[in-house]
Amino acid sequence: MSGFTRIIFIISLLLNAVFIGGAALSFGYISNVVDLINTSLSKMSERRIDAFEASKIDAVDVVFLGDSITHEGMWS
């Protein structure tokens, strides 16, 4: 690929990124994704709170630290 062709290719990629990003913003796709993430996190927090309330543990003898696998485990 010659130098001129490479420059045109890079400019084309940059302009495509700008136009696609602008279209996504103008159609509200970004805000929809943010709303979806916030809703998912809220539901996950509510589910976690409900699980703690249902466990009826009076004293803490064991604490589990970990990732999502630890979080979703049935530790009863």
Side-chain angles (χ1 to χ4, degrees):
M1 190 182 289
S2 70
F4 180 73
T5 306
R6 185 174 291 164
I7 290 172
I8 296 297
F9 179 72
I10 291 171
I11 290 172
S12 173
L13 286 176
L14 291 174
L15 287 175
N16 280 310
V18 168
F19 288 132
I20 291 171
L25 288 174
S26 67
F27 291 120
Y29 291 127
I30 302 297
S31 64
N32 288 343
V33 170
V34 170
D35 290 343
L36 179 64
I37 291 171
N38 287 335
T39 302
S40 298
L41 289 176
S42 176
K43 287 181 181 180
M44 184 171 42
S45 295
E46 290 173 10
R47 189 177 63 183
R48 188 178 296 170
I49 290 169
D50 290 342
F52 280 125
E53 288 174 353
S55 66
K56 298 180 181 171
I57 297 174
D58 294 328
V60 177
D61 295 329
V62 178
V63 176
F64 288 94
L65 298 176
D67 56 9
S68 61
I69 296 171
T70 306
H71 170 73
E72 296 295 330
M74 298 300 294
W75 302 111
S76 58

